[in-house]
Amino acid sequence: MAVVTDGSLESSYRRLLRLYPSRWRQHREEEVLAVLLQAAAPGQARATPAERHDLLLAAGREHGRAAQRAARRAPGRTAALAVLVGGTGFVLVTAGAPVQAAPSALPPVLPAYSYLTQSVSTSPPGPAVAAYRQGNGAELADFPQAVVVGAGGAVRRLDLAEDRDEAMQGSPGSFLLSPDGSHVASGRYDLSGQADIAVQDLRTGKVATTSSLGHPSVTPVAWSPDGTSVLASLGGLPWLAPEDQPVPVPPARLVLLGLDGGLLPLPAGVSDDAAQVAWAPGGGRLVVQTADHELAVVDAATGAPRRLGVSADLAGVQAWSPDGALLATSGACSPEGRIGVSTYDLVVIPVDASDSTDAAAPTCIPVGVGNQLVGWAAPRVLVLSTTTEDQTGAEQHALVSVDLQDGTRTELATIPTGSGNYHVGDVQVPAEALAGSLGERLHPPVAWDRGPLAQWPGVVLVAGAVGGLVAVAAAVARRVGPGLTDRSARRRDDERGVGS
Amino acid sequence: MSRSGLQEPSFLVLTALAQGPLHGYAILKDVETTSSGSVRLGVGTLYGALERLAGRHLVEIASEEVVDSRLRRTYRLTEDGAALLAAEARRRHEQSAAALSRLARSPRLGWQS
């Protein structure tokens, strides 16, 4: 009987037959298709549910038979494939959402550099106990990362900042952790002068991005204490931008942005030409640093300024001591007691003491090149990000507390750097986690959760090992007892025959 | 099921081929007729059974031809296939006879004829 179809029924059957193993299709597809078309009801336009069910089951059985044949021909490879497929399935099924927790204390050791770390957008880590850059410095395979360490033990690459690296030669864009560690703001350089800023929720991975702010660069400067807005500095291109990109740079200015990306009025007493701003704990006061490095404390309610009479840069986003009595600046003390701008040392300045008392004397702390203030662990204990040596003498990065009263230094947390191969910088830790890091702490997680797919290399290694072992065992069995393998093959054939 | 036992689709396919070589569609129709319409094999099930039976050398390809621009293969029983079908038919017949005989001796369970 000639079968006339308009082609849609044949396409419908062919789609189902594609599910069969390729070898089966080479041998059978055209024949089976002809029978399907012959058996179809008059006017039938597509495969019926019963036919789909029947062909799906039959295709599954053919794959099973194909796998059995492959296992006989190449047992090692088949075993490796089975472990690979099973292991991948296991990894994906067991990979739940990362444990999220509020940041309360730093773990003694923070995660080292790894190529396997998944991104925040793929698997949000929850509120962060720390964020930092790492990976600059290796001669080969230099892929700098920005990483966020979730308080629940999940470490993730901050892909938001890594994707906003234009004109940064591969280095992640600027980023700033919110006071409670739940959000990150990331600025950007834009060669065409249309930079914007984005905020990512580390609990959900959701990103909100502003429209262009009309400058070549946007850098987050400070989060408001309640975490609902972020101050950003609009400026020019960095020193490492390509020189042949002439970009008109409007005058630098400061803006305040809400979490929805909208512009808000600047805090009272803060002019838009300020260079740095930091809110005091509690939010009642701010310190404002002008472009001329002059520092003034501003009343948040009235905007009334009080000049500190000191020329220095704020040492970081957590310049204020927890009790609001001290300010840390990147300054230097001259032998005459004058404070000057420096990138080498810290000067801690009393904010409220009158000039006539001893308490007004600044504390000068020589900390060396490249070290930075992270924040404060206690009202008189600040925390520096610096380089130390581990027990074997290998270089590592460390967060070290310095007691201003007795000079005691304590290592709060370290970050392995592969003996200096993976430079660490821009370390940010919420104030609460710094405060909880003095004294006894809980042990860290045994293994950092780097994301659901980070276990793949392990699965591949195990699959290779199992496949190799099975292949060797099969080869030995063939050599030692051919009669035995023949008998087992026959027995397997007989057992398969049971179902025929 | 014993080692020589056959699943229903395989038994019906072998039964269809007992009358002579048939192509796939003809086997489907014959199975339907033989079972008085109670068994309608899906095409996927039919070819799964044919693959298994060919793998055990119980059926083989009798001919290949192109009909209406499409490939058509006909299948036939091998000697092993015919022998197994005969053995299976006898086994099923003996089991059926035993069942009917016992039911006849137990009128309370029904069947009194």
Side-chain angles (χ1 to χ4, degrees):
Chain A
M1 182 176 64
V3 181
V4 179
T5 69
D6 63 359
S8 61
L9 179 61
E10 180 173 335
S11 305
S12 169
Y13 286 141
R14 280 200 189 277
R15 277 198 294 277
L16 289 162
L17 294 175
R18 272 188 222 130
L19 301 173
Y20 278 83
S22 58
R23 199 169 150 197
W24 182 96
R25 289 179 64 192
Q26 284 170 11
H27 184 59
R28 291 279 186 206
E29 181 165 343
E30 293 306 316
E31 179 192 0
V32 171
L33 178 66
V35 175
L36 282 165
L37 291 170
Q38 220 172 349
Q44 184 177 334
R46 51 189 300 193
T48 64
E51 286 173 330
R52 282 202 291 273
H53 181 251
D54 175 57
L55 289 171
L56 279 172
L57 284 181
R61 284 193 292 264
E62 287 305 327
H63 278 288
R65 269 200 284 273
Q68 283 180 342
R69 283 194 295 270
R72 279 200 299 277
R73 278 198 311 273
R77 197 172 56 190
T78 309
L81 192 64
V83 173
L84 196 60
V85 171
T88 302
F90 177 78
V91 164
L92 292 179
V93 166
T94 56
V99 177
Q100 299 197 5
S104 57
L106 281 167
V109 181
L110 285 158
Y113 187 90
S114 168
Y115 292 111
L116 303 179
T117 310
Q118 305 296 299
S119 67
V120 169
S121 300
T122 306
S123 173
V129 74
Y132 46 93
R133 296 171 191 273
Q134 62 180 0
N136 299 77
E139 292 296 326
L140 295 171
D142 187 0
F143 300 110
Q145 295 180 351
V147 293
V148 170
V149 183
V155 52
R156 298 287 186 269
R157 282 185 302 102
L158 185 58
D159 53 325
L160 176 71
E162 291 179 357
D163 293 344
R164 297 167 65 83
D165 66 345
E166 190 177 359
M168 290 289 283
Q169 299 185 352
S171 188
S174 56
F175 56 89
L176 187 63
L177 203 55
S178 69
D180 65 353
S182 67
H183 289 76
V184 167
S186 178
R188 188 161 79 84
Y189 290 104
D190 184 88
L191 296 177
S192 62
Q194 302 298 321
D196 52 26
I197 189 169
V199 171
Q200 185 162 34
D201 188 332
L202 297 175
R203 298 163 300 190
T204 64
K206 194 176 164 194
V207 175
T209 307
T210 66
S211 51
S212 163
L213 296 171
H215 277 65
S217 79
V218 180
T219 310
V221 169
W223 281 88
S224 62
D226 61 0
T228 60
S229 57
V230 61
L231 271 171
S233 167
L234 313 183
L237 287 171
W239 60 271
L240 38 59
E243 290 180 359
D244 56 351
Q245 295 280 346
V247 182
V249 182
R253 70 190 181 98
L254 211 59
V255 292
L256 183 66
L257 299 150
L259 287 186
D260 58 357
L263 278 174
L264 301 170
L266 283 172
V270 176
S271 63
D272 69 358
D273 61 352
Q276 287 286 334
V277 176
W279 269 277
R285 291 184 296 176
L286 306 93
V287 60
V288 178
Q289 173 197 319
T290 67
D292 299 329
H293 311 286
E294 294 296 328
L295 297 179
V297 171
V298 173
D299 186 298
T302 64
R306 179 169 61 85
R307 285 172 171 269
L308 290 181
V310 173
S311 184
D313 289 336
L314 292 174
V317 292
Q318 292 187 39
W320 289 90
S321 64
D323 60 358
L326 303 174
L327 268 174
T329 66
S330 294
C333 299
S334 69
E336 299 81 32
R338 286 179 56 85
I339 299 170
V341 176
S342 166
T343 55
Y344 297 89
D345 305 309
L346 284 179
V347 176
V348 178
I349 304 164
V351 178
D352 299 315
S354 95
D355 290 346
S356 60
T357 66
D358 289 343
T363 308
C364 297
I365 308 164
V367 293
V369 183
N371 301 317
Q372 57 169 180
L373 176 79
V374 178
W376 299 73
R380 296 296 173 267
V381 180
L382 48 76
V383 179
L384 301 174
S385 168
T386 184
T387 302
T388 62
E389 291 181 351
D390 67 13
Q391 290 161 344
T392 66
E395 185 183 314
Q396 64 181 359
H397 203 86
L399 301 186
V400 175
S401 68
V402 179
D403 191 314
L404 295 179
Q405 288 160 324
D406 59 16
T408 309
R409 294 189 172 218
T410 308
E411 212 165 71
L412 299 183
T414 60
I415 308 173
T417 60
S419 299
N421 276 333
Y422 300 101
H423 177 76
V424 172
D426 207 1
V427 183
Q428 302 170 24
V429 178
E432 194 167 333
L434 287 178
S437 298
L438 280 180
E440 289 294 315
R441 277 174 288 164
L442 294 174
H443 290 292
V446 175
W448 292 105
D449 163 13
R450 291 186 183 271
L453 302 183
Q455 298 170 51
W456 272 22
V459 173
V460 170
L461 278 177
V462 172
V466 169
L469 282 173
V470 172
V472 168
V476 169
R478 269 197 295 273
R479 185 161 296 184
V480 169
L484 180 67
T485 44
D486 281 350
R487 279 196 300 279
S488 352
R490 273 203 300 279
R491 196 179 310 128
R492 282 199 301 271
D493 284 341
D494 287 343
E495 282 163 5
R496 277 197 310 284
V498 171
S500 292
Chain B
M1 192 179 285
S2 72
R3 286 212 163 185
S4 62
L6 290 167
Q7 285 183 350
E8 193 69 8
S10 298
F11 178 74
L12 291 168
V13 169
L14 290 180
T15 303
L17 293 177
Q19 62 186 301
L22 293 174
H23 54 78
Y25 182 66
I27 298 172
L28 287 182
K29 287 288 147 193
D30 190 85
V31 166
E32 201 174 330
T33 307
T34 311
S35 66
S36 305
S38 63
V39 177
R40 297 185 68 175
L41 287 185
V43 178
T45 306
L46 167 67
Y47 277 89
L50 282 173
E51 288 277 1
R52 287 195 301 275
L53 294 169
R56 294 176 66 190
H57 308 293
L58 302 176
V59 302
E60 62 188 7
I61 294 171
S63 67
E64 290 186 347
E65 56 184 338
V66 175
V67 179
D68 294 330
S69 307
R70 295 192 186 280
L71 175 66
R72 174 187 284 177
R73 289 193 181 101
T74 54
Y75 299 85
R76 68 182 168 215
L77 280 185
T78 63
E79 284 186 17
D80 284 355
L84 183 68
L85 177 63
E88 178 68 10
R90 270 196 300 276
R91 187 182 67 80
R92 291 188 181 216
H93 178 72
E94 285 163 9
Q95 286 180 342
S96 302
L100 289 172
S101 155
R102 288 174 190 179
L103 283 168
R105 288 198 297 271
S106 306
R108 275 191 307 142
L109 291 173
W111 208 319
Q112 301 190 29
S113 63

